[in-house]
Amino acid sequence: MAVSAVDQITSFLRVHLGPETAAVFLYISKNSKSPLQMIMQQFRLPSEKVSFFPAENLAHSSSLRLLKYFEKSSPSLAFETMSTNNQVLQMVQQCLTLLLTHDLLILSRRKDSAIEYSINWAQVRVLNRAPAFLCLTRTQLGHAAELVIEELLYSGRLGLLACLATVAKRLAEEDEASSSAAAAPAAVDPGLRALNAFASLLELRFIQRRGSVVPPLPVADNSGCGSGGRLEDDDEFEDDDVIGSSKIYRVEKPFAPLSRAEREAALRHIRESLGPAVKLSNESLEPPAKRPRVAAETTSVADARRPEEAAQEFSANAQQLRFRWRDSILTRAAASVLGAQASRVLAAMLDIVDERVRLGHAQSAESEVLAHADIVAQLAASAAGDARSGLDQHLSSLAEDGFIERQSGAAGGQFRILFRRAIFSLTRQSVAAVIRQRLGDKAVRVFNALSEEPNLTQAELESHVLIGGRDCKELLYRLLVDGFVHCAELSRAADFMNPRPNTAYYLFHVNLEQTTRKLLLNMHAYQDRLLTRRLAEVATNRRLLDKRQRVKELLKNLDAQISAADSAGNSDASAELSEQRAQAAQLLTPPEREQLETLKRSRTALRAGELLLEENIFLYELFLEFASQHN
Amino acid sequence: IKLKMSTATVKPDPDDIQTRLLNLAGQLPAGINQAALRSHLSDLPMDRIIQCINQLTQSGKLEVLQTANRELLWRLRDASADRRLDGLDTKEVMVYEQLRAFGNKGASAQQLQSRSAMPQREIGKCLNSLEAKKLVKIVRPVGHAKKKIFMLFELEPDASLQAGTFFSGEGFDQEFVDVLCQQCTLYLRRKAEAAATSAATTSASATLEEVQQFIGQSRVSTVALSLDDIRRVLRALTLEGVVETRPGPYAGAGSSCLYRLARSQLPASGDFGAVRVPCVSCPVAPDCRIGGEISPIGCVYLTDWAKGQF
């Protein structure tokens, strides 16, 4: 795991959850399966009178090590103010609970029934990729859905009401800001927008229902999504001294749609939290009798779940976000090569596959077989109905380029999406693009020639790629140094013992897996550099940014006072305040404004560069995942 | 009465010897060796026979050959034989006939010496004489610029000796290959643009023959390019990602696939954005360290890139 990923998450936790939680995370990250179980046993000490200080009174050295680490890592930790063992225990318990809420911990049980804690690095990657996931959600589902995902990613888990209230409030503030700037009336009410976005995210499995914080139980697998409370056996865990609830809350249908009761409760809560100032849709005010009848089965299920729904929480489904990102990459590649229509056909096929995939479905090399009729129906149902014309031609083009495979020709044909082959092809093109950028077009010829025909000598390669001897030699050696091609030595001597350059054949080939691993490390390093540069620019211009923030707040206050004076009919005060506002607006000098504009452009470019690199990193990780499955 | 017997031997008539030699050569079309001479012309002194053979060789009626065992053979010369060999001495004719046997693969001076019993200096003199008379030429094989291969002047060197169309006297002609690549790309680009602007009947793809015809008409090459040469150029462009191939609807005279400009070359196409980040192609990326002399914080490449990006 790249160092920068740990640093990013640590700083994120420090800001959002407190320095103590960050310290616990950092300690566990450096001591996997750490003896925190000793701390758990520490919690079971019968006497609470044992003073935590001095340290020699502690029975277990591991706890001492943990506490000393806390002392050294951050002097502002709350631990140093505690004087009893129980206070420390409660603080550590609270920190671990917060980390569990964010699915950042994996629990395992040792043979002696002690609990061990490890970091869930897959979830760390998910949080690091949060900007990319938000960008994906905004592109596919809109701004309201992006805000929902943002709340759930950065909060770990949230209840329905809390999440929707926050999102609706943010939407209302944005509407207010845009309406005051553009003098345009507000759109659909924010509460309904938030609720609809939430419902569609749940339907598309971008978010899922979760139980309460997982009690310390052995996990079945490291899927990165959280085990959701499953047990290896069906016995409930009854140890009350262990972190978390002693009772298990199982979610049997994590993607069950929002019930009518949930929707009503949500809208009611939004109205109460936003206040009467925000206009809500009439739908929320209709008496229940006028609402259309819901199917009996859904109603009975909803009524049965109503008491537990209030205790349910929701979290982002990282696996679905990854699948959707993969699908987005494939459709964009198809669009760039084959056009928008073919891309829509592929998107329709991916939607069919998505509907058939269940939670926990592993990354497969090929999809299920899709019938021609299903594709036509999906296109008709989606907004891409015009792609039905010329469907056969688009399917043929997609098959030629290796995105899909025709299984049979009966009844219009049956098709299968070739994920592995498409990702392999895209990875090879990506590596070729990097080579082209670094070494030029002729180097790409050499790379592709060796990819298609491995184990060529230099002389054979020269005749294949039509490059002169000296140039070909130079390119070949530069590719060799950068790790894009590899060399195998074949001795011509009878003894094969002491090969010399003039008695050995040197055969060149491409090992895409090895090259991709090296590029992956490089991409992480580049991303780290862009992040460092961005943070350094913010730090350098911190004074200016703070000044801008203060000026903004001052202007906002003055605007509020001006509007109050206008509404009170006090024109003199309004004029005076307007004058003050004009003066305040000039606090930022033109050079400072220009510097802020340059800073904004630079930060935007750097953040965009980080996202571009993240996409490449994701592609390479997909390739390596498929390659490891194949091996 | 004493009888004086004439002891004077009757000298054979040279014309008779030549006639008998020619008749014998006619009876033995494979050639007359010394054993045949002794058996058929045993009544004649050998020095007279040799003298007549030399006269016949010089007059062009007999030609001298040497077998692999270094045995001399004399054979009737074909009436329609090359008159250019008239005036050559015996050694030169021998060397010439040996080179004729090597055909279009030619032979080096060392090979000629190993075949004949002649010293190296004699062979060198004969080769120089034949080269001056434009009966023999020198060919330098690919990869061995300093080696000399001799062959008959009118013969085309074998493919193993020739470097090919893309080689000039100084070796691989990269400039020529680049020009050919540019012309092929130009032709395919024009086809793609014509297909985009006109009706669907115009195809953006081209066959090998069409590309060859265009190259021939453009006169960028002084030599005629074969289909194989054009195929190699298009193959290099395919490896570069400029051109892509598609299976053709039918097998043409030398091609079974169609060529067209790769879609990544067309406008409004996407690429992988990571290559736009300057770190990917930075020449000092391996030396870049946070806090080092080369660091991202003061990097001018990132500054220029951020300015130009948005």
Side-chain angles (χ1 to χ4, degrees):
Chain A
M1 180 60 64
V3 174
S4 65
V6 177
D7 293 339
Q8 286 180 54
I9 293 298
T10 310
S11 63
F12 162 79
L13 292 173
R14 194 174 292 126
V15 169
H16 287 81
L17 303 179
E20 293 79 16
T21 310
V24 172
F25 171 83
L26 202 56
Y27 178 81
I28 301 173
S29 71
K30 295 183 181 177
N31 300 277
S32 181
K33 292 194 176 181
S34 66
L36 275 173
Q37 60 172 338
M38 307 297 278
I39 299 177
M40 299 307 298
Q41 289 177 7
Q42 183 79 15
F43 299 151
R44 296 180 193 173
L45 284 176
S47 171
E48 291 187 3
K49 294 181 184 176
V50 174
S51 173
F52 206 75
F53 301 101
E56 51 266 24
N57 288 341
L58 289 174
H60 302 284
S61 60
S62 58
S63 304
L64 170 64
R65 189 163 64 232
L66 174 66
L67 293 169
K68 283 203 166 176
Y69 181 83
F70 291 159
E71 290 170 18
K72 286 178 189 172
S73 61
S74 174
S76 63
L77 287 178
F79 292 108
E80 64 179 12
T81 64
M82 296 171 187
S83 58
T84 64
N85 193 12
N86 208 22
Q87 286 176 336
V88 173
L89 162 67
Q90 286 175 4
M91 178 55 77
V92 171
Q93 195 171 2
Q94 187 180 348
C95 295
L96 289 172
T97 306
L98 286 172
L99 290 173
L100 282 168
T101 305
H102 281 77
D103 293 322
L104 285 170
L105 287 185
I106 297 173
L107 313 179
S108 54
R109 183 179 285 170
R110 292 202 311 209
K111 289 179 183 177
D112 57 356
S113 301
I115 305 298
E116 292 175 335
Y117 297 87
S118 306
I119 297 294
N120 183 1
W121 294 111
Q123 187 63 15
V124 173
R125 288 297 290 135
V126 169
L127 286 178
N128 277 334
R129 286 199 165 127
F133 289 144
L134 295 177
C135 186
L136 173 77
T137 313
R138 184 176 64 235
T139 308
Q140 294 196 353
L141 297 170
H143 180 54
E146 179 199 359
L147 293 179
V148 171
I149 291 289
E150 186 179 1
E151 286 299 316
L152 292 177
L153 274 175
Y154 291 144
S155 305
R157 302 173 197 219
L158 274 181
L160 173 67
L161 305 182
C163 178
L164 286 180
T166 313
V167 171
K169 186 178 176 187
R170 287 179 68 177
L171 286 172
E173 286 171 358
E174 287 172 8
D175 288 344
E176 194 181 328
S178 62
S179 64
S180 62
V188 181
D189 86 273
L192 200 55
R193 266 192 292 161
L195 183 61
N196 289 338
F198 197 97
S200 54
L201 284 169
L202 191 58
E203 184 187 341
L204 295 172
R205 298 199 307 279
F206 277 69
I207 59 179
Q208 58 186 345
R209 295 174 183 271
R210 305 291 296 276
S212 57
V213 172
V214 179
L217 298 166
V219 292
D221 63 327
N222 184 12
S223 65
C225 302
S227 55
R230 286 196 295 273
L231 283 177
E232 283 184 352
D233 49 52
D234 287 335
D235 297 331
E236 284 196 6
F237 191 77
E238 293 180 351
D239 190 345
D240 290 332
D241 292 333
V242 180
I243 290 176
S245 170
S246 60
K247 290 189 179 177
I248 299 157
Y249 188 85
R250 292 185 185 180
V251 180
E252 292 182 354
K253 294 183 182 178
F255 304 114
L258 292 178
S259 64
R260 191 178 70 187
E262 283 177 319
R263 294 179 72 97
E264 286 179 4
L267 287 173
R268 202 179 312 122
H269 182 75
I270 291 169
R271 183 184 177 185
E272 289 167 7
S273 61
L274 292 182
V278 178
K279 181 182 174 184
L280 288 180
S281 162
N282 288 333
E283 181 180 338
S284 61
L285 302 177
E286 284 179 359
K290 289 188 181 176
R291 295 215 181 153
R293 292 188 57 152
V294 186
E297 182 183 348
T298 310
T299 306
S300 62
V301 168
D303 290 341
R305 288 191 283 110
R306 198 174 298 147
E308 287 78 18
E309 280 171 0
Q312 269 189 0
E313 293 173 329
F314 293 83
S315 71
N317 183 0
Q319 192 176 49
Q320 180 68 357
L321 285 167
R322 289 185 80 239
F323 283 164
R324 282 286 179 160
W325 200 4
R326 175 203 65 189
D327 296 348
S328 160
I329 288 174
L330 291 177
T331 49
R332 275 188 286 125
S336 72
V337 174
L338 299 170
Q341 298 288 347
S343 164
R344 289 196 197 109
V345 170
L346 183 63
M349 295 174 74
L350 288 166
D351 288 341
I352 300 172
V353 170
D354 181 58
E355 285 172 13
R356 296 180 186 179
V357 165
R358 293 180 299 169
L359 177 67
H361 186 74
Q363 187 83 271
S364 61
E366 297 173 355
S367 71
E368 300 174 3
V369 174
L370 310 176
H372 189 273
D374 293 340
I375 300 170
V376 171
Q378 182 69 26
L379 284 170
S382 66
D386 54 346
R388 281 181 293 170
S389 59
L391 176 62
D392 292 333
Q393 186 186 351
H394 295 318
L395 289 170
S396 299
S397 302
L398 287 168
E400 276 178 13
D401 273 358
F403 288 99
I404 64 176
E405 183 184 42
R406 182 184 285 264
Q407 292 288 299
S408 72
Q414 290 185 327
F415 302 90
R416 198 191 285 266
I417 301 177
L418 303 175
F419 291 114
R420 182 169 175 273
R421 197 160 106 184
I423 294 294
F424 272 40
S425 172
L426 287 176
T427 302
R428 207 177 99 172
Q429 288 177 43
S430 168
V431 173
V434 173
I435 293 172
R436 193 188 303 274
Q437 191 75 7
R438 274 197 206 172
L439 302 172
D441 295 332
K442 291 201 167 90
V444 176
R445 272 196 226 172
V446 173
F447 175 77
N448 284 332
L450 290 173
S451 296
E452 292 181 13
E453 291 187 52
N455 297 325
L456 293 177
T457 61
Q458 185 179 328
E460 289 169 342
L461 186 63
E462 286 169 20
S463 70
H464 273 77
V465 299
L466 292 184
I467 298 176
R470 197 190 301 177
D471 293 339
C472 186
K473 192 180 197 176
E474 188 184 337
L475 285 172
L476 200 53
Y477 289 172
R478 288 189 67 184
L479 288 167
L480 198 62
V481 164
D482 289 347
F484 293 112
V485 303
H486 302 86
C487 181
E489 197 177 291
L490 194 64
S491 175
R492 286 187 286 186
D495 56 359
F496 298 95
M497 292 300 290
N498 297 314
R500 294 187 299 276
N502 58 348
T503 60
Y505 290 112
Y506 292 95
L507 304 176
F508 296 92
H509 63 280
V510 166
N511 185 338
L512 193 58
E513 194 177 331
Q514 203 170 338
T515 303
T516 307
R517 284 187 200 280
K518 185 167 182 184
L519 275 179
L520 188 61
L521 287 175
N522 290 344
M523 294 285 166
H524 278 297
Y526 302 153
Q527 206 179 34
D528 188 26
R529 287 169 198 170
L530 292 186
L531 174 66
T532 305
R533 172 67 181 251
R534 180 162 59 87
L535 295 177
E537 287 196 355
V538 169
T540 306
N541 295 282
R542 174 53 61 194
R543 186 200 64 82
L544 196 55
L545 289 168
D546 289 343
K547 182 178 177 182
R548 184 186 67 173
Q549 188 62 26
R550 288 196 299 272
V551 168
K552 233 186 215 179
E553 287 171 3
L554 179 62
L555 290 174
K556 194 176 173 184
N557 286 337
L558 287 172
D559 284 337
Q561 289 177 27
I562 289 170
S563 60
D566 287 338
S567 55
N570 192 346
S571 59
D572 291 338
S574 176
E576 190 181 337
L577 285 168
S578 298
E579 196 180 330
Q580 283 182 18
R581 192 192 184 284
Q583 287 175 359
Q586 292 178 5
L587 283 173
L588 274 176
T589 62
E592 285 177 341
R593 286 180 201 278
E594 194 178 327
Q595 192 177 344
L596 282 169
E597 192 59 37
T598 306
L599 175 63
K600 180 184 172 186
R601 246 184 282 127
S602 178
R603 285 175 68 188
T604 310
L606 291 168
R607 202 184 287 273
E610 288 171 42
L611 282 177
L612 292 172
L613 287 169
E614 189 62 54
E615 188 172 76
N616 252 57
I617 289 170
F618 179 66
L619 176 68
Y620 292 160
E621 287 179 355
L622 274 178
F623 166 78
L624 291 171
E625 209 173 305
F626 280 124
S628 62
Q629 283 177 6
H630 182 66
N631 295 334
Chain B
I1 293 172
K2 241 184 199 180
L3 289 175
K4 276 191 180 177
M5 290 189 72
S6 171
T7 59
T9 54
V10 177
K11 288 189 180 175
D13 186 6
D15 292 335
D16 290 336
I17 299 174
Q18 289 183 5
T19 305
R20 287 176 70 181
L21 280 170
L22 288 173
N23 291 337
L24 184 59
Q27 292 170 13
L28 300 174
I32 312 167
N33 56 5
Q34 289 192 6
L37 283 175
R38 288 196 199 92
S39 64
H40 288 86
L41 301 174
S42 56
D43 58 325
L44 295 172
M46 191 53 69
D47 58 342
R48 297 289 296 158
I49 294 172
I50 297 298
Q51 193 178 2
C52 290
I53 286 174
N54 283 338
Q55 287 170 357
L56 287 171
T57 305
Q58 282 181 357
S59 64
K61 292 179 182 173
L62 282 183
E63 57 183 4
V64 179
L65 303 171
Q66 194 173 31
T67 64
N69 303 332
R70 297 190 183 180
E71 189 185 10
L72 290 177
L73 282 179
W74 292 270
R75 193 171 63 188
L76 259 182
R77 189 104 178 256
D78 192 1
S80 61
D82 196 349
R83 305 307 297 176
R84 292 182 299 166
L85 299 184
D86 295 343
L88 295 180
D89 65 9
T90 311
K91 292 175 187 173
E92 291 175 356
V93 172
M94 271 181 59
V95 170
Y96 185 88
E97 293 301 332
Q98 284 193 353
L99 281 177
R100 190 204 294 271
F102 276 104
N104 63 350
K105 288 195 188 298
S108 63
Q110 287 79 14
Q111 283 175 297
L112 290 169
Q113 189 194 4
S114 65
R115 277 288 190 101
S116 65
M118 292 167 64
Q120 184 72 21
R121 198 167 54 174
E122 291 290 333
I123 290 177
K125 281 170 68 175
C126 293
L127 288 172
N128 287 338
S129 169
L130 289 170
E131 191 183 349
K133 293 171 186 170
K134 297 224 184 290
L135 294 172
V136 157
K137 64 181 176 185
I138 297 174
V139 172
R140 298 199 185 263
V142 178
H144 300 87
K146 294 183 181 175
K147 194 173 176 182
K148 288 184 188 177
I149 299 292
F150 298 91
M151 66 174 58
L152 298 186
F153 193 85
E154 62 275 11
L155 294 179
E156 280 296 319
D158 186 64
S160 60
L161 294 175
Q162 280 193 76
T165 315
F166 306 124
F167 286 80
S168 64
E170 297 173 355
F172 185 78
D173 195 346
Q174 186 67 59
E175 200 174 319
F176 177 56
V177 170
D178 291 342
V179 167
L180 287 178
C181 290
Q182 284 172 12
Q183 288 298 310
C184 291
T185 310
L186 176 67
Y187 177 67
L188 293 174
R189 191 183 300 278
R190 285 182 185 170
K191 287 275 282 186
E193 288 170 359
T197 54
S198 67
T201 52
T202 309
S203 169
S205 304
T207 62
L208 205 58
E209 288 81 8
E210 288 172 357
V211 178
Q212 184 192 30
Q213 189 181 5
F214 175 80
I215 297 293
Q217 288 170 358
S218 65
R219 297 190 183 181
V220 295
S221 171
T222 53
V223 298
L225 295 172
S226 65
L227 280 176
D228 191 55
D229 295 331
I230 301 295
R231 185 182 292 117
R232 289 178 70 188
V233 172
L234 290 171
R235 166 82 179 140
L237 288 172
T238 307
L239 290 173
E240 200 173 305
V242 175
V243 164
E244 58 185 22
T245 59
R246 279 289 176 270
Y250 54 87
S255 63
S256 59
C257 56
L258 298 173
Y259 299 88
R260 66 178 172 196
L261 207 62
R263 264 114 1 135
S264 62
Q265 296 288 317
L266 299 173
S269 62
D271 61 341
F272 287 98
V275 297
R276 288 184 246 158
V277 175
C279 298
V280 173
S281 56
C282 178
V284 293
D287 302 324
C288 186
R289 299 275 182 274
I290 296 166
E293 191 176 337
I294 300 173
S295 88
I297 293 176
C299 179
V300 293
Y301 296 129
L302 283 176
T303 307
D304 294 340
W305 174 69
K307 279 182 191 168
Q309 190 77 355
F310 295 96

